[in-house]
Amino acid sequence: MIRMSDSLASLARSSRLASYISMIGIRYLTTRAASSLQEIIKASSYIGRDDEFANDIDWNNLGFGLTPTDYMYIMKCGRDDEFKQGQLNRYGNIELSPSAGVLNYGQGLFEGTKAYRGEDKRLFLFRPQQNAIRMQIGAQRMCMPSPSTEQFVDALKKTVLANRRWIPPPGKGSLYVRPLLIGSGPILGLAPASEYTFLVFASPVGNYFKDGTAPLNLYVEDEFHRSTRGGAGDVKSITNYAPVLKSLSRARNRGFSDVLYLDSVHKRYIEEVSSCNVFILKRNVLSTPATNGTILEGITRNSIIEIARDLAFQVEERPIPVEELLDADEVFCTGTAVGIAPVGSITYKGNRIEYKTSNQLVCLRLYSRLVGIQRGIIEDKMGWMIEID
Ligand code: COI
């Protein structure tokens, strides 16, 4: 069913959710010089000492730009070794051999999670064990050793605590935490690198999209694909992201928010958006593409599936033909960076489908439940939040 959209701006204004998260995408740039990598700081020496908010930042205008914070975590190990002991360093540039595996052959993974400041000042991470497991699965695919779940979560906690003054006030955003696992050792012939670096840095963030919480206008790409069968589309390999930049830039230049990709075999089934998973709602049935090897198993995706089932929606993970978009009541995107973003329109082969927008959308109800858990406002029955203070 094709619908005309209501005022998108009024949705952004009136949504209760928007009052939590409404921010404009203005990048905050800092001129702080990168500090020496040699300066090793123990996390414990910062706990409780550096509890104020950073003051050289406009908390009301966070977008998804990088704000360099104070510390990053680094841990290294050899190809046939295990990760043992990492440390916090001042945030700054890292030194890599020009022949590092990650630079030459893209041997690298990244993760994304967020730390929140609760209304009661407690600090939380959202499901970091899930990121650890996803990194371990990705590392196997990319022939890399990976940190244990305990090492991973410990590194995230240390990074967040060391940068706690950069965690936005409740309702203003979150501290985005970016773990990286890269082949840092030198290599010339194609093979796994000899050394690996696990690095965690963080940046305060608000809304991912430049139009804040306004519904997205997606473009269905029918020339390029994000992922292929037998490829690495189901793991968070860095190599999945640069190839979408061309479609993404082209779509953004035409005024679209992001790109929705189709499967590369039939060119018919919807798969993923450049930076997030996708869901469609029809009556009480919520559907999302099944994670069959070409789709990233998003942690927000999985959390929304659980919340929706808890709220008595029927959830289906299955192949979704692009034609089903015509008949959907709602379409929305989910991701760590994106949160939940309602879709206002989708353009496919020159035809634009528009979806209703209001503050009564089911996806906003699901999001409000998720945000409530993340902020400590709604009881965390699933045990998703890890308190880190
Ligand atoms: C995330 O949602 O954390 C991602 O990794 C997506 C990225 C393109 C920002």
Side-chain angles (χ1 to χ4, degrees), residues 260-303:
L260 175 58
Y261 297 91
L262 298 178
D263 79 286
S264 64
V265 176
H266 307 95
K267 303 184 190 310
R268 178 170 177 226
Y269 297 96
I270 62 170
E271 293 220 312
E272 207 170 312
V273 175
S274 315
S275 51
C276 43
N277 295 113
V278 65
F279 283 81
I280 69 170
L281 180 79
K282 183 70 188 170
R283 289 185 282 276
N284 194 44
V285 182
L286 192 57
S287 306
T288 191
T291 50
N292 57 2
T294 56
I295 289 164
L296 188 77
E297 186 127 355
I299 294 161
T300 310
R301 172 190 181 278
N302 293 348
S303 307

Side-chain angles (χ1 to χ4, degrees), residues 2 32 48 69 71 164 245 285 346 371:
I2 300 179
R32 275 182 313 119
T69 53
Y71 296 97
R164 60 192 300 160
L245 293 177
V285 182
I346 299 184
V371 169

Side-chain angles (χ1 to χ4, degrees), residues 25-160:
I26 296 173
R27 286 182 178 217
Y28 172 78
L29 300 175
T30 178
T31 53
R32 275 182 313 119
S35 306
S36 163
L37 266 185
Q38 304 312 316
E39 192 180 341
I40 299 167
I41 309 292
K42 293 247 181 307
S44 55
S45 64
Y46 289 87
I47 297 169
R49 205 191 72 186
D50 195 4
D51 201 14
E52 319 88 322
F53 290 105
N55 51 24
D56 42 358
I57 183 165
D58 180 358
W59 297 113
N60 292 316
N61 285 305
L62 290 172
F64 204 82
L66 179 74
T67 299
T69 53
D70 300 325
Y71 296 97
M72 61 188 185
Y73 183 92
I74 294 193
M75 181 160 64
K76 293 184 187 245
C77 86
R79 181 172 38 217
D80 303 315
D81 211 355
E82 287 182 351
F83 283 100
K84 291 194 183 74
Q85 180 73 45
Q87 68 206 20
L88 284 168
N89 290 1
R90 290 296 293 189
Y91 177 85
N93 294 346
I94 58 170
E95 194 169 281
L96 276 181
S97 161
S99 59
V102 65
L103 296 181
N104 292 263
Y105 299 124
Q107 195 187 16
L109 294 166
F110 75 92
E111 275 298 328
T113 187
K114 284 176 172 171
Y116 300 87
R117 205 182 275 277
E119 303 287 343
D120 57 3
K121 297 203 168 111
R122 289 188 298 160
L123 307 180
F124 296 98
L125 273 165
F126 180 67
R127 309 190 78 181
Q129 304 95 327
Q130 297 298 310
N131 297 86
I133 293 166
R134 195 167 62 181
M135 179 169 269
Q136 289 155 12
I137 294 169
Q140 280 184 10
R141 177 68 178 81
M142 306 290 282
C143 292
M144 300 194 279
S146 56
S148 67
T149 303
E150 199 188 351
Q151 288 171 325
F152 184 99
V153 174
D154 180 61
L156 267 57
K157 284 183 180 175
K158 287 194 163 92
T159 309
V160 171

